[in-house]
Amino acid sequence: MQFTQIRNATLKINYGGKKILIDPWLAEKGALPGFGGTINEHIRNPTSELPMPINEIIDVDAVILTHDHPDHWDDAAKKAIPKDMLIFTQHEKDAKAVKSAGFNNVQILNEVNDYEGITLIKTLGQHGRPKVVEDMKELLGEVSGIILKHPDEKTFYIAGDTVWCEEVENTLSKYHPDVVVLNSCDAQVIGNESIIMGKEDIYEVYKAAPEATIIASHMEAVNHATLTRKELGEFLRAKEMTQRVLVPHDGESYTF
């Protein structure tokens, strides 16, 4: 298995003989306004450039959307990705939105799915602490993660846009993934309410999955990110977590 951090939550995975793109956000740096109702909403998105050409990013066999928020699935991706690309979505609502953009090979994920010998397991998450999820239910919406399993590969878990919560804890306990990707920039809405993982969430995963390698993704690309790679690195060193927690730069790859 090869993992490549593209930018934000956009990942490219070579797994079980397939190339899979996760949550493509392909806009040019600064092309979009900051997200309203979030910290630093005056800063334009994305806040970093893509690390490689778009045609290289979209050279894949399938796309998985953990959810269709605009920093996971944008107009640039809709324009660049071929309309007959196989796209997996978490539910009918997201599938309908993808189809409305002209895509004709959309598959809704069940709890367990077979993709040409790769088992795809849809997992649950929580896009923020209970109060902010309740207060911003319509904006935050439903989210998912995904586990990939194959006889010749390590079990691979992408948690998606979630904080540390019972759903994540249960997934780790049930599937014992070897590699765990966490969206980790501690993105916050106004009021200092976190909507994805920060340092302490990562620490909880680290303790709950003592055999897993953890990858901190979704870093330094959106206006409402509050945790930098530098700050996270300092935290990891202080907690002596660096042997099992990786913090890739955009464009960086790992092989497992």
Side-chain angles (χ1 to χ4, degrees):
M1 176 183 73
Q2 185 181 60
F3 162 97
T4 301
Q5 172 67 45
I6 305 297
R7 180 185 63 187
N8 203 52
T10 307
L11 316 173
K12 191 171 180 179
I13 313 298
N14 289 20
Y15 191 93
K18 294 293 183 181
K19 294 182 289 185
I20 302 172
L21 183 64
I22 312 294
D23 289 349
W25 191 31
L26 304 182
E28 294 182 359
K29 179 181 178 180
L32 306 168
F35 292 117
T38 69
I39 288 175
N40 297 323
E41 62 184 355
H42 63 285
I43 297 176
R44 294 187 66 81
N45 284 319
T47 61
S48 60
E49 299 281 7
L50 287 171
M52 60 191 71
I54 287 179
N55 62 347
E56 184 178 337
I57 296 169
I58 66 170
D59 178 20
V60 294
D61 301 298
V63 173
I64 297 174
L65 303 182
T66 62
H67 62 303
D68 71 347
H69 281 178
D71 61 327
H72 294 250
W73 174 241
D74 68 345
D75 287 343
K78 295 171 191 175
K79 181 178 179 181
I81 293 170
K83 292 298 187 283
D84 60 353
M85 176 69 72
L86 174 58
I87 300 181
F88 293 98
T89 67
Q90 64 171 332
H91 51 38
E92 177 63 37
K93 181 181 177 182
D94 283 5
K96 185 177 180 180
V98 173
K99 289 176 183 176
S100 72
F103 292 88
N104 56 45
N105 190 11
V106 182
Q107 183 171 326
I108 299 169
L109 289 165
N110 298 310
E111 182 178 350
V112 181
N113 314 264
D114 177 71
Y115 169 45
E116 299 193 25
I118 301 170
T119 301
L120 302 176
I121 302 168
K122 182 173 66 173
T123 64
L124 301 175
Q126 184 178 298
H127 205 343
R129 313 293 175 204
K131 182 180 185 303
V132 71
V133 168
E134 181 61 31
D135 291 347
M136 304 182 71
K137 186 182 301 182
E138 291 301 315
L139 179 63
L140 295 174
E142 294 181 77
V143 294
S144 68
I146 192 81
I147 286 179
L148 291 79
K149 298 185 72 172
H150 186 276
D152 300 327
E153 301 280 15
K154 293 181 179 296
T155 300
F156 185 66
Y157 172 36
I158 299 169
D161 270 10
T162 184
V163 295
W164 170 250
C165 58
E166 184 178 356
E167 290 85 354
V168 173
E169 185 174 15
N170 290 344
T171 297
L172 294 171
S173 176
K174 182 175 181 179
Y175 295 105
H176 303 284
D178 301 295
V179 182
V180 178
V181 179
L182 304 177
N183 292 351
S184 303
C185 71
D186 197 6
Q188 295 183 10
V189 297
I190 290 172
N192 300 93
E193 293 280 358
S194 299
I195 57 174
I196 63 174
M197 292 195 184
K199 294 180 290 189
E200 296 299 334
D201 302 83
I202 297 167
Y203 187 43
E204 292 300 326
V205 175
Y206 179 87
K207 292 184 293 184
E211 304 300 322
T213 297
I214 296 167
I215 302 174
S217 182
H218 204 312
M219 302 289 293
E220 298 180 351
V222 290
N223 68 277
H224 54 321
T226 65
L227 178 63
T228 65
R229 290 181 172 103
K230 181 176 183 294
E231 184 182 353
L232 177 56
E234 292 169 351
F235 176 83
L236 297 176
R237 286 188 290 275
K239 292 283 191 180
E240 300 183 341
M241 296 166 60
T242 56
Q243 287 192 330
R244 283 202 294 116
V245 184
L246 306 173
V247 187
H249 291 283
D250 292 349
E252 189 168 2
S253 296
Y254 305 121
T255 301
F256 300 97

